[in-house]
Amino acid sequence: MKLRPKHDRRRYDARARIAKALAHPSRLMILDALDRREICVCDLAQLVGADQSTVSKHLAILKQAGLVEDRKDGVMVYYTLKACCLQGFWDCLEAVLAQNLKAQQAVLR
Amino acid sequence: MKLRPKHDRRRYDARARIAKALAHPSRLMILDALDRREICVCDLAQLVGADQSTVSKHLAILKQAGLVEDRKDGVMVYYTLKACCLQGFWDCLEAVLAQNLKAQQAVLR
DNA sequence: CACATTAATGGCGGAATGGCCATACAGGCA
DNA sequence: TGCCTGTATGGCCATTCCGCCATTAATGTG
């Protein structure tokens, strides 16, 4: 059996595919909203303030990454959060932002 | 004083700027390597297997996002990890990947 | 059946990303 | 001084991303 090299490019490619899905403000907003309840596409479109087709494509990206699931109910499609591990991600982003803000204030002083 | 709306677009823009910096396999590889020690640009270029100028631009992006710091020592520039919160991010990526793999295996069965 | 509603898809144009090459800008050294 | 090394930057090109519009598909309703 062959040991996986520590720096396997394919592993980082796979990670980056997930990270790319997280790298858009509208998608972050969607994930944040879905953390509390399931929401249909039309409501999400209103939430992010973009065209329905645009939001639908964002949702397809999130679904492809395995971050959300969809459930059809008649004409409506409801999306729910599938990844239950995002809290650490949010905390990380906020920590970096807070740190950057602090650094910027230090420069001004 | 005005209360910040829960879904402030600017807040998600700020978060997305950080997330974008994390959304590239070479940058993930760099961050992972820097977690253990400070490394100069030339060694990082060899690690990721890209041109020195390419890696330098990746590092500028990471620095701009506040994820790494640089320290000049003569001609060399050493980069170190500034964000101390990435473990939750790694764990999240791995959890999603594991979940996706499991789902894919379930489909095959 | 026709018609309305909801979501997904195709297409297009503009913007951003990412790669390398060439070059500029140090710093170290003879 | 001149040369070498390590790094950053500008330019260019190919690719990807992202927005809306138009269209299609599917379901519910009269």
Side-chain angles (χ1 to χ4, degrees), chain A residues 7-58:
Chain A
H7 292 291
D8 186 343
R9 171 150 300 271
R10 272 173 303 176
R11 169 150 295 264
Y12 290 102
D13 287 348
R15 288 179 174 180
R17 274 194 293 274
I18 311 296
K20 276 177 191 289
L22 296 167
H24 190 285
S26 296
R27 294 199 286 270
L28 293 182
M29 188 180 289
I30 289 171
L31 289 172
D32 202 7
L34 291 180
D35 190 35
R36 284 177 291 280
R37 62 195 184 285
E38 72 170 14
I39 312 181
C40 67
V41 179
C42 53
D43 286 351
L44 286 171
Q46 192 167 3
L47 173 67
V48 308
D51 194 88
Q52 173 267 321
S53 65
T54 300
V55 172
S56 190
K57 285 178 182 174
H58 280 311

Side-chain angles (χ1 to χ4, degrees), chain A:
Chain A
M1 168 178 172
K2 194 170 159 203
L3 275 182
R4 175 191 301 282
K6 178 64 185 126
H7 292 291
D8 186 343
R9 171 150 300 271
R10 272 173 303 176
R11 169 150 295 264
Y12 290 102
D13 287 348
R15 288 179 174 180
R17 274 194 293 274
I18 311 296
K20 276 177 191 289
L22 296 167
H24 190 285
S26 296
R27 294 199 286 270
L28 293 182
M29 188 180 289
I30 289 171
L31 289 172
D32 202 7
L34 291 180
D35 190 35
R36 284 177 291 280
R37 62 195 184 285
E38 72 170 14
I39 312 181
C40 67
V41 179
C42 53
D43 286 351
L44 286 171
Q46 192 167 3
L47 173 67
V48 308
D51 194 88
Q52 173 267 321
S53 65
T54 300
V55 172
S56 190
K57 285 178 182 174
H58 280 311
L59 288 166
I61 290 170
L62 292 173
K63 183 180 172 184
Q64 162 69 23
L67 295 167
V68 301
E69 282 176 323
D70 60 337
R71 174 182 74 86
K72 298 188 203 312
D73 181 11
V75 187
M76 317 285 288
V77 178
Y78 293 92
Y79 279 84
T80 55
L81 201 59
K82 188 176 178 188
C84 49
C85 61
L86 288 178
Q87 192 54 50
F89 176 61
W90 301 128
D91 294 344
C92 180
L93 292 185
E94 286 300 320
V96 174
L97 286 173
Q99 184 180 245
N100 292 351
L101 181 62
K102 203 172 143 192
Q104 200 168 353
Q105 288 172 340
V107 169
L108 293 179
R109 209 176 309 127

Side-chain angles (χ1 to χ4, degrees), chain B residues 33-56:
Chain B
L34 290 180
D35 189 34
R36 285 177 291 280
R37 63 194 185 285
E38 72 170 14
I39 312 180
C40 65
V41 179
C42 52
D43 285 352
L44 287 172
Q46 190 166 5
L47 173 68
V48 308
D51 193 88
Q52 172 267 322
S53 66
T54 299
V55 173
S56 189

